[in-house]
Amino acid sequence: CGMKFNIIRYFVDEHNVKLTVVPFDYDLEANPSNIQWDGLFLSNGPGDPNMCPQTIKSIKYAIGLDPPRPIFGICLGNQLLSIAAGAK
């Protein structure tokens, strides 16, 4: 939906995170790019979380993984995570 470059820089430069940015509608379950991922960061907006059904579907998939993987949301990302977890 709209990630700020400073967030990317912080993860990569300050914490040595290998970060892969995908579009908001990337299908995590199908994973067409075969991305190996250990955690999920849901970025800020702008946007209405109810307008992102593909994103919510992928987050629901990620929530259901066993073993679980960490998921972190900021602003819109947190709203999307909440909806995927069942909030109204």
Side-chain angles (χ1 to χ4, degrees), residues 7-8 10-11 14 18 28 30 34-36 41 48 53 59 63 67 74 79 86-87:
I7 295 171
I8 296 170
Y10 179 75
F11 278 128
E14 298 294 324
K18 181 182 176 196
L28 283 177
N34 197 31
I35 297 168
Q36 301 299 312
F41 178 82
D48 176 352
I59 297 168
I63 289 171
I74 186 170
Q79 294 172 14

Side-chain angles (χ1 to χ4, degrees), residues 3 13 17 21 25 30 32 34-35 38 56 60 70 82 84-85 88:
M3 184 179 223
D13 294 346
V17 170
V21 178
D25 59 351
N34 197 31
I35 297 168
D38 298 317
I56 294 167
K60 285 181 180 179
S82 297
K88 298 288 181 197

Side-chain angles (χ1 to χ4, degrees), residues 22-86:
V22 297
F24 77 96
D25 59 351
Y26 187 82
D27 186 339
L28 283 177
E29 187 171 11
N31 197 5
S33 298
N34 197 31
I35 297 168
Q36 301 299 312
W37 56 281
D38 298 317
L40 189 59
F41 178 82
L42 308 169
S43 70
N44 49 312
D48 176 352
N50 293 307
M51 301 300 290
C52 304
Q54 309 96 321
T55 308
I56 294 167
K57 179 180 176 260
S58 284
I59 297 168
K60 285 181 180 179
Y61 165 76
I63 289 171
L65 290 175
D66 187 25
R69 298 183 189 175
I71 304 172
F72 176 81
I74 186 170
C75 300
L76 176 64
N78 194 48
Q79 294 172 14
L80 290 165
L81 179 57
S82 297
I83 292 170

